[in-house]
């Protein structure tokens, strides 16, 4: 009887039970000694405890892991200054240990909480402890930090790869794939600038909206999705870079339109920067059986030569055009630019090893290796013609290369 009377006394606290029952926050009414005087439905639902079982008990008896001294100090401070005191999920993680079961793939075992301690009933020394579930936000922030760290690690990997290739430059000159690596790193680094800028912008926007109190789940979800897609793009760029230098041992069926689209992926940054119009006239159904990466390497080298030629010319309406014709036995690929052409003197030497028409940073291996790959490995033929307007490279390839290397 005495326990029931005590519970009835606790229920006479001047708090609207109706409001407390529907509010989407945990609310616990405590006195200065941490005795529980009210325990709303939200708390009951999330802790699986009934109010009648906790009324009159000390909070630390129900939740032994709470920091009793800190909580009492915050309550006393709230009474002293007559303003709320706080715990935040970012600094303290949680006050009340509530197991998480409603969030899939959560990085946390317990609900992350913002806690406000509000002076209530000064004469009776009561406080309202308001608990706000911040698990989704905390989980999102943790994922953001993970993705940011992933970007940093990928960037460091790229830097290390660049340093490694520069250190091995002399050795790399003897290998066609290695000869192109330095330029490829530069292309990929260029590809990373815009995605990294996007990630930084999204993070800054989230911080601002959080500070303004206008951050909702929809904005969070959309931002996280964009960041995940962008980090995947950065990761895939590294994978594409590695695949590019893997030798093909088996000839596979290659869609030429897709192959040129892939070359555009590596080069679009420079094309855009130099304002070069890039035209592709290829039937999307044209396929051949060949060594994919070796053909891709050759195409990128040829396109890169045209791009570099524009860097050293004053041409205004810059164009690179690609066309493919297929007949019964072979395909004919033409790559043409209007970058001003190659002099007759240099035209006789462009397929010689270590000869370069570039004013600087040229290895002299690009066209030499392209011709070697196409003529010897892909069993095709590469030819070049040039005039004062521009240069045209013609590649003839068999429709099917039989595995021979």
């Amino acid at each position: 009887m005495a326990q029931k009377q005590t519970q009835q006394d606790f229920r006479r606290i001047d708090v609207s039970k109706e409001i407390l029952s529907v509010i989407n926050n945990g609310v616990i009414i405590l006195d200065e000694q941490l005795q529980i005087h009210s325990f709303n439905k939200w708390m009951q639902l999330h802790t699986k405890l009934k109010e009648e079982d906790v009324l009159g008990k000390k909070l630390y008896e129900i939740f032994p892991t709470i920091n009793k001294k800190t909580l009492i100090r915050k309550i006393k401070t709230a009474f002293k200054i007559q303003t709320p005191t706080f715990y935040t999920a970012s600094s303290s993680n949680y006050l009340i240990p509530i197991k998480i079961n409603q969030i899939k793939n959560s990085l946390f075992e317990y609900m992350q909480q913002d806690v406000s301690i509000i002076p209530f009933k000064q004469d009776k020394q009561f406080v309202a402890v308001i608990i706000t579930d911040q698990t989704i936000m905390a989980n999102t922030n943790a994922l953001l930090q993970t993705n940011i760290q992933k970007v940093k690690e990928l960037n460091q990997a790229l830097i290390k790869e660049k340093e490694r290739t520069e250190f091995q430059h002399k050795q790399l000159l003897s290998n066609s794939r290695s000869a192109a690596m330095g330029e490829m790193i530069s292309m990929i680094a260029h590809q990373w600038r815009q995605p990294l800028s996007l990630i930084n912008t999204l993070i800054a926007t989230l911080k601002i909206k959080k500070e303004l109190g206008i951050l909702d789940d929809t904005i969070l979800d959309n931002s996280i999705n964009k960041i995940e897609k962008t980090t995947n793009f950065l990761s895939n760029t590294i994978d594409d870079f590695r695949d590019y230098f893997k030798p093909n041992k088996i000839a596979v069926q290659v869609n030429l339109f897709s192959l040129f689209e892939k070359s555009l992926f590596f080069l679009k940054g420079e094309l855009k920067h130099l304002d070069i119009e890039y035209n592709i006239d290829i039937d999307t159904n044209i396929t051949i059986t060949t060594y994919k990466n070796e053909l891709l390497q050759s195409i990128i080298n040829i396109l890169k030569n045209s791009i570099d030629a524009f860097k050293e010319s004053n041409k205004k309406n810059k164009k690179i055009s690609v066309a493919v014709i297929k007949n019964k036995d072979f395909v004919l690929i033409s790559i043409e630019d209007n970058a001003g052409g190659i002099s007759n003197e240099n035209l006789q030497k462009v397929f010689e090893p270590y000869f370069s028409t570039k004013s600087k940073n040229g290895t002299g291996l690009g066209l030499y290796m392209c011709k070697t790959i196409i003529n010897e490995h892909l069993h095709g033929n590469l030819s070049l013609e040039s005039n004062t307007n521009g240069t045209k490279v013609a590649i003839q390839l068999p429709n099917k290369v039989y595995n021979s290397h």
Side-chain angles (χ1 to χ4, degrees):
M1 288 293 293
Q3 182 179 1
K4 288 184 178 180
Q5 182 61 45
T6 300
Q7 291 177 353
Q8 289 174 3
D9 290 341
F10 289 143
R11 292 179 184 276
R12 292 195 186 102
I13 297 172
D14 187 16
V15 176
S16 172
K17 290 289 183 179
E18 184 177 349
I19 293 176
L20 292 180
S21 67
V22 298
I23 191 171
N24 191 28
N25 292 88
V27 181
I28 309 172
I29 305 300
L30 300 174
D31 60 27
E32 198 172 18
Q33 301 304 316
L34 305 187
Q35 190 174 32
I36 300 171
H37 294 260
S38 182
F39 200 78
N40 78 335
K41 285 189 177 181
W42 190 97
M43 288 299 303
Q44 296 177 60
L45 175 65
H46 288 82
T47 63
K48 312 301 182 190
L49 297 171
K50 295 181 179 180
E51 185 181 42
E52 55 264 29
D53 294 332
V54 301
L55 284 178
K57 295 182 179 179
K58 301 293 179 67
L59 188 65
Y60 53 83
E61 294 174 344
I62 307 300
F63 305 106
T65 61
I66 67 168
N67 190 323
K68 175 182 174 182
K69 290 182 178 179
T70 301
L71 182 56
I72 290 175
R73 185 177 71 250
K74 285 183 178 287
I75 290 174
K76 288 182 177 180
T77 301
F79 279 126
K80 182 177 180 180
I81 63 178
Q82 280 301 294
T83 57
T85 55
F86 305 95
Y87 286 86
T88 61
S90 60
S91 60
S92 59
N93 299 325
Y94 61 88
L95 173 67
I96 306 299
I98 299 175
K99 285 277 190 177
I100 296 172
N101 55 20
Q102 74 273 27
I103 301 177
K104 294 182 179 179
N105 302 320
S106 175
L107 300 176
F108 304 100
E109 182 179 0
Y110 293 100
M111 178 190 293
Q112 306 299 285
Q113 302 158 9
D114 281 349
V115 179
S116 302
I117 301 171
I118 303 172
F120 177 80
K121 283 282 185 180
Q122 178 74 12
D123 58 330
K124 293 185 178 180
Q125 296 289 286
F126 288 158
V127 292
V129 177
I130 313 297
I131 297 172
T132 303
D133 184 358
Q134 294 286 16
T135 308
I136 293 176
M137 172 69 77
N139 210 48
T140 298
N141 287 338
L143 288 172
L144 277 173
Q145 292 303 316
T146 299
N147 286 332
I148 291 169
Q149 183 60 33
K150 183 178 179 181
V151 170
K152 290 180 179 178
E153 290 172 358
L154 289 171
N155 195 39
Q156 286 299 316
L158 185 62
I159 292 171
K160 288 181 181 179
E161 187 73 11
K162 182 177 180 180
E163 292 172 349
R164 185 180 72 83
T165 57
E166 289 175 349
F167 176 78
Q168 296 178 339
H169 182 65
K170 291 181 180 180
Q171 291 78 13
L172 296 177
L173 291 177
S174 64
N175 186 288
S176 62
R177 289 172 176 76
S178 300
M181 189 178 289
E183 290 181 335
M184 287 299 300
I185 290 174
S186 177
M187 294 177 207
I188 292 167
H190 191 86
Q191 290 285 75
W192 275 40
R193 292 190 185 105
Q194 185 175 353
L196 287 173
S197 177
L198 174 61
I199 290 174
N200 287 333
T201 300
L202 288 169
I203 292 172
T205 301
L206 286 174
K207 288 181 178 178
I208 291 170
K209 291 192 174 183
K210 182 181 178 183
E211 290 174 1
L212 294 175
I214 59 174
L215 185 62
D216 58 31
D217 290 345
T218 301
I219 294 174
L220 275 174
D221 292 342
N222 289 338
S223 297
I224 288 300
N225 287 336
K226 288 179 182 178
I227 289 171
E228 287 179 343
K229 288 179 182 178
T230 306
T231 53
N232 286 335
F233 168 82
L234 294 172
S235 180
N236 290 336
T237 301
I238 294 295
D239 292 339
D240 287 335
F241 171 77
R242 289 171 179 163
D243 290 342
Y244 175 78
F245 289 101
K246 288 180 181 178
N248 289 126
K249 296 182 179 180
I250 300 175
V252 296
Q253 192 173 63
V254 177
N255 181 289
L256 290 181
F257 181 83
S258 297
L259 194 73
F260 274 90
E261 285 288 293
K262 175 65 74 174
S263 71
L264 180 61
F265 168 80
F266 286 109
L267 299 168
K268 62 183 179 182
E270 288 191 89
L271 289 167
K272 183 177 180 181
H273 176 70
L274 294 171
D275 196 24
I276 300 172
E277 181 181 341
Y278 184 66
N279 300 311
I280 303 178
D281 182 15
I282 305 175
D283 188 324
T284 56
N285 295 318
I286 293 179
T287 60
I288 61 173
T289 300
T290 191
Y291 299 102
K292 180 178 178 180
N293 285 353
E294 295 186 1
L295 178 55
L296 177 61
Q297 179 187 350
S298 299
I299 288 170
I300 289 175
N301 270 328
I302 293 167
L303 292 171
K304 190 70 170 63
N305 273 351
S306 291
I307 291 170
D308 289 340
F310 282 118
K311 292 178 181 178
E312 300 184 14
S313 74
N314 297 319
K315 198 78 175 180
K316 291 185 178 181
N317 298 317
K318 306 178 185 72
K319 292 183 181 180
I320 296 177
S321 300
V322 176
V324 175
I325 299 173
K326 183 176 183 180
N327 63 25
K328 182 180 178 181
D329 299 315
F330 62 85
V331 294
L332 181 62
I333 301 170
S334 68
I335 302 172
E336 187 171 5
D337 66 53
N338 64 343
I342 304 170
S343 69
N344 289 331
E345 180 183 356
N346 289 335
L347 193 60
Q348 306 302 316
K349 303 176 182 178
V350 291
F351 294 120
E352 294 178 7
Y354 305 107
F355 175 79
S356 176
T357 61
K358 300 174 185 178
S359 59
K360 59 180 179 178
N361 298 327
T363 64
L365 290 172
L367 286 176
Y368 167 75
M369 284 303 176
C370 287
K371 190 172 181 67
T372 300
I373 290 170
I374 289 170
N375 288 23
E376 297 181 13
H377 296 184
L378 307 184
H379 307 298
N381 183 63
L382 184 149
S383 61
L384 182 150
E385 60 184 59
S386 187
N387 54 43
T388 55
N389 181 56
T391 302
K392 180 178 180 179
V393 177
I395 303 170
Q396 181 176 304
L397 295 171
N399 289 333
K400 185 171 183 178
V401 172
Y402 293 93
N403 293 309
S404 59
H405 77 289

